Amino acid sequence: MASMLISGTEISEQIYGELRARIAALKEHGITPGLAVVLVGEDPASQTYVRMKGRKCEELGMHSVTITLPADTPEDVLLGRIAELNADPAINGFLVQLPLPGHIDEDKVIEAIDPAKDVDGFHPVNVGRMLIGKPGFLPATPAGVMEMLRRSGVETAGKHVVIVGRSNIVGKPMAALLVQKGADATVTVAHSCTSDLAEVTRTADILIAAVGKPRFITADMVKEGAVVIDEGTNRIDDPTHPKGSRLVGDVDFEAVKDRASAITPVPKGVGPMTICMLMANAVKAAEEQSR
Ligand code: NDP
């Protein structure tokens, strides 16, 4: 079966077009949406993500601030910077890049962010609103997957969705969004304690992988004709690649693509959607704060 490739690059470009129009409308009222990113320490993957976010902000003509703090920054200093950002009228939304160094309590940091500026959607107030289907900020990766499904015409109503992974930032919110009225899917969440995982995944009309293990989902785990969404971003060594490494997903793409009716690639799948949804949240924050 020839599968449809669901391109996060193409769908995110569509959304960026819509965001540019919304940013232009805000600017007509003298408002430039402002996004700040706080990075503590020097984790190379985090540095890359933070750079990408800053670059995208600038490309869209948004006000972008990056605050870089040393890895040994005391928790109360970080909390102080968060309080400043909460009070700063030029910053409509901000996030603290995770993971944080071990001496800092991540929950305390997330809870210190004003929910109205919590563009990552990790504050318990926004998590709660998402769960009960009320407006708020949705976490970028699962929100990006919902947009990909919607905009590529994949029907979720009445479909059985199996999500492999139950993290607070990917698997669980993915499940919460898919069971909402409107999405109307029947959802199974699998994890490391699930028995007979392949048996479970083979029942999926839509299979979503959020495991963090390269090529974990193999062809025998996928029902013929299923839609397969790969949230994984795993860097693996590859001496043939100029960088010596490359990104692969949680799905064995080459083997699975012929069984699936539609599939997302890695890279250029869910990845570009994540940053796009963050930008969308920042624009939404600016719109709401200008009312
Ligand atoms: P976590 O490590 O927090 O969660 C992984 C989940 O997979 C856990 O729930 C774990 O189960 C489950 N799991 C691990 N091994 C197995 C197994 N053998 N069988 C079944 N389930 C298993 O990862 P994240 O949720 O943060 O990320 C998942 C993937 O998504 C990663 O590749 C990450 O890089 C990627 N990601 C991509 C983003 C993007 O922008 N595209 C953004 C965020 C993440 P248990 O809970 O039982 O341990």
Side-chain angles (χ1 to χ4, degrees):
M1 173 190 276
S3 61
M4 171 176 83
L5 200 65
I6 304 178
S7 163
T9 313
E10 280 172 24
I11 295 172
S12 63
E13 278 313 320
Q14 262 176 36
I15 298 172
Y16 283 128
E18 296 160 14
L19 290 180
R20 283 194 176 89
R22 287 164 62 187
I23 293 166
L26 283 164
K27 285 189 171 176
E28 274 175 24
H29 293 90
I31 297 154
T32 301
L35 175 69
V37 177
V38 183
L39 174 63
V40 186
E42 288 168 5
D43 175 64
S46 295
Q47 284 176 328
T48 306
Y49 292 136
V50 168
R51 240 191 336 265
M52 282 162 60
K53 289 167 189 174
R55 211 179 297 143
K56 194 43 97 175
C57 259
E58 280 158 24
E59 232 176 271
L60 292 170
M62 290 166 51
H63 172 53
S64 163
V65 174
T66 301
I67 297 171
T68 311
L69 301 172
D72 61 356
T73 301
E75 188 180 87
D76 60 333
V77 171
L78 176 59
L79 293 172
R81 297 305 293 266
I82 292 173
E84 285 168 22
L85 290 167
N86 283 339
D88 184 345
I91 298 299
N92 302 108
F94 67 97
L95 63 96
V96 180
Q97 184 68 43
L98 303 178
L100 287 168
H103 66 281
I104 298 177
D105 180 344
E106 272 183 13
D107 292 337
K108 208 164 159 184
V109 167
I110 291 168
E111 284 174 36
I113 298 172
D114 178 349
K117 293 192 175 187
D118 168 40
V119 283
D120 254 347
F122 293 165
H123 191 287
V125 165
N126 283 314
V127 176
R129 285 184 181 149
M130 171 182 65
L131 202 61
I132 58 175
K134 294 281 183 245
F137 291 112
L138 300 177
T141 302
V145 171
M146 295 305 286
E147 283 293 332
M148 289 177 103
L149 293 171
R150 249 193 307 268
R151 291 178 188 245
S152 51
V154 175
E155 181 61 78
T156 53
K159 294 290 156 54
H160 183 209
V161 182
V162 176
I163 301 163
V164 187
R166 58 170 165 185
S167 74
N168 287 336
I169 61 168
V170 190
K172 277 187 209 161
M174 195 72 253
L177 294 177
L178 282 158
V179 292
Q180 287 305 328
K181 275 215 179 299
D184 297 325
T186 304
V187 180
T188 298
V189 182
H191 42 76
S192 66
C193 305
T194 298
S195 337
D196 297 328
L197 180 65
E199 207 129 290
V200 176
T201 57
R202 275 195 296 269
T203 64
D205 302 311
I206 301 172
L207 178 59
I208 302 182
V211 194
K213 295 194 169 155
R215 305 192 190 100
F216 180 81
I217 302 290
T218 47
D220 60 305
M221 298 169 82
V222 179
K223 179 168 80 174
E224 185 83 40
V227 173
V228 178
I229 305 289
D230 190 349
E231 303 202 33
T233 22
N234 309 291
R235 191 157 282 285
I236 58 159
D237 292 337
D238 180 355
T240 67
H241 197 276
K243 280 188 183 159
S245 68
R246 68 190 166 93
L247 283 185
V248 296
D250 290 346
V251 174
D252 183 356
F253 181 85
E254 282 308 317
V256 169
K257 74 177 192 325
D258 297 327
R259 283 186 78 74
S261 60
I263 187 166
T264 62
V266 176
K268 300 187 177 174
V270 175
M273 291 302 293
T274 297
I275 190 150
C276 178
M277 298 320 287
L278 172 68
M279 297 300 139
N281 276 348
V283 173
K284 174 174 145 150
E287 287 168 346
E288 282 173 1
Q289 287 160 37
S290 70
R291 279 190 196 123

